[in-house]
Amino acid sequence: MEELVLQGNALTGRIPPELGSLSKLKYLFLSGNELTGSIPPEFGNLAKLKSLALANNDLMGPIPPELANLANLEALSLGGQPRTLRARRRHAS
């Protein structure tokens, strides 16, 4: 599967980390639902992902640093979270 479009379906609960095992996925659209919790760090395994849309849910917590592994990512949509979704600060070593 290269595309998973589930936006605007009133989905609730946490995003299943198992989605991170869909190795051929290029487009993942989960915007406009009622998803809670954090972004699964397993999404960093989606090496072919070009577009990730998670806007307008109820996500919170840090943005996983594993998303930096997504070399093919062209579009990332995270806006419209009523709670705080934030990038982790990198500490100097």
Side-chain angles (χ1 to χ4, degrees):
M1 173 183 344
E2 292 187 353
E3 187 172 310
L4 182 58
V5 180
L6 296 171
Q7 61 194 27
N9 281 296
L11 299 176
T12 60
R14 295 183 173 269
I15 299 172
E18 294 81 7
L19 292 178
S21 66
L22 298 174
S23 60
K24 295 182 181 182
L25 201 61
K26 293 182 180 178
Y27 304 95
L28 178 56
F29 300 111
L30 298 174
S31 296
N33 287 294
E34 298 172 25
L35 297 170
T36 58
S38 59
I39 300 169
E42 291 83 359
F43 279 12
N45 299 329
L46 298 171
K48 295 184 179 184
L49 198 66
K50 292 184 175 187
S51 184
L52 176 59
L54 300 172
N56 300 312
N57 280 291
D58 195 13
L59 300 174
M60 58 184 288
I63 297 169
E66 291 84 357
L67 293 187
N69 297 336
L70 302 177
N72 293 309
L73 193 66
E74 298 171 358
L76 176 62
S77 176
L78 299 173
Q81 309 297 333
R83 300 180 193 213
T84 303
L85 194 60
R86 63 190 184 285
R88 287 187 183 181
R89 294 182 187 202
R90 295 188 184 244
H91 299 283
S93 31

